Amino acid sequence: MNGYKRRTEQKKASILRSAKKLFEQNGIDETKIIEIAKIAEVSPVSIYNYFKSKEGLLRALIEKELDESIQMYSDILDSDIPFAKKLDNIMNIKSYLFTNINNIF
């Protein structure tokens, strides 16, 4: 990955982390793009360039959370632990994911 692409991905990740934090603290409607930009240390224009809108940012955040949980499910299913432990781990992730996304909304 070249330097430009790496910096772009780092900015996007910072924006998503900042948005998640503010959405959880203040709610989606009360969180402003300029606040997210300030915490992420990017310009508001960068957020619009990457995500097009606050709704696009929210969609990307939810997709990221779901992708990460799917990867965790896959890792658990591919592991050598007993089936009952796999099931327990999957249920814990499901509970975490539900709570996490519920906190954002």
Side-chain angles (χ1 to χ4, degrees):
M1 183 181 306
N2 66 36
Y4 173 77
K5 185 156 178 75
R6 188 176 333 107
R7 285 187 304 277
T8 297
E9 292 305 313
Q10 288 171 340
K11 282 183 185 180
K12 285 181 181 179
S14 179
I15 292 166
L16 288 169
R17 279 190 307 272
S18 300
K20 180 180 177 182
K21 178 181 176 182
L22 289 173
F23 288 160
E24 287 174 347
Q25 286 178 354
N26 307 326
I28 296 166
D29 292 336
E30 298 301 318
T31 300
K32 307 297 181 221
I33 290 290
I34 197 158
E35 296 168 329
I36 296 168
K38 183 177 179 182
I39 291 180
E41 298 180 350
V42 300
S43 73
V45 172
S46 292
I47 295 175
Y48 287 110
N49 284 339
Y50 298 139
F51 301 102
K52 307 299 181 218
S53 65
K54 186 162 64 167
E55 291 77 19
L57 175 57
L58 179 60
R59 185 177 303 113
L61 179 59
I62 291 171
E63 287 174 4
K64 178 183 174 292
E65 293 290 323
L66 291 173
D67 287 345
E68 289 174 358
S69 66
I70 289 169
Q71 183 59 51
M72 286 188 279
Y73 290 149
S74 181
D75 292 345
I76 290 167
L77 292 172
D78 291 341
S79 71
D80 292 331
I81 61 177
F83 179 77
K85 184 67 175 165
K86 287 181 183 184
L87 188 58
D88 185 51
N89 290 347
I90 287 172
M91 294 307 291
N92 287 336
I93 291 170
K94 183 178 178 183
S95 175
Y96 165 79
L97 180 63
F98 177 77
T99 301
N100 201 20
I101 289 179
N102 199 30
N103 285 340
I104 292 172
F105 289 103

